[in-house]
Amino acid sequence: MENIESYLKLGFSEAKEDEKNFIQQLKNPEYIKKYVASSLLGVNERLSWYYLFVEKDLVKAKQCFYLYGKVNLYKKQFEDDFNHESPMGMNPSVIYTLLSDSNNLFNAFVNSTYKNESYYLKRGSLSIVIQHILNNKDEKAFSLLDTFFKKHKQYDFKESDGEILKAILENDKGKIEELLHFLLLPRNHKKTNGIYPLRRDLLSFPALGYAKLAWLRGIEIEIDHPLIPKELLPLQPNKEYTNSYDFLTI
């Protein structure tokens, strides 16, 4: 995409204005809170891109990642299901939670419960595997991975998603890097990011999430790719994170 910086600046201005409007809507009992909160996810995503790629300010970017994760946990209390984005693995909510480097948010994420948890456990949900890995519950993670491989229906990246999490559990740096390069192939990046304008030119999901999870487990994988910003991989938490939305303090 040409002139990405101009799009990021425009997105920043629009996101700041949208943020004000959504905060006002949350004060109105007639609005459905989970949908308004969902809109704040997009706000913080756009703001984080601006801070990361234009201002080069990691502290501000991580604050936005933190708010993304906190808002996502907040809105789940209004949902009938665990994860409407995808129970398969690395989705944006998980990735931005990991990128925040906030121990407080990590703990909230790994200890969160699901209204329909038994269903996802039976399917071998990779989202729950990721929780176990982040929480160093390796035995549970391996067991759920076995369920995933045995019972889950085939999808385009079933093998790579399952195998890269297994490699992280086994501390297999070479295998992790091999699978990341596979996910970053242009045809695979297009499949997983093609429908997301701008993001697909900045970051590669889910590869970035898997790379970050590896680093959080102490596996300093080496990946040289423009869609995996190296500065996001080491654990470098902000000195302070702010719950700047009133509803997050309740």
Side-chain angles (χ1 to χ4, degrees), residues 219-233:
I219 310 167
E220 298 183 5
I221 54 96
E222 299 173 15
I223 193 81
D224 186 12
H225 196 283
L227 298 178
I228 306 291
K230 290 183 178 180
E231 63 270 27
L232 293 179
L233 298 182

Side-chain angles (χ1 to χ4, degrees), residues 53 71 112 124 146 153 178 201 207:
F53 295 104
V71 170
S112 59
D146 287 341
K153 294 180 180 180
E178 175 188 331
D201 297 297

Side-chain angles (χ1 to χ4, degrees), residues 145-167:
L145 265 179
D146 287 341
T147 301
F148 167 77
F149 281 120
K150 290 175 183 177
K151 295 187 176 182
H152 206 280
K153 294 180 180 180
Q154 186 67 34
Y155 67 98
D156 284 348
F157 297 97
K158 175 181 176 179
E159 292 302 318
S160 58
D161 284 354
E163 288 297 335
I164 198 167
L165 290 175
K166 182 180 178 183

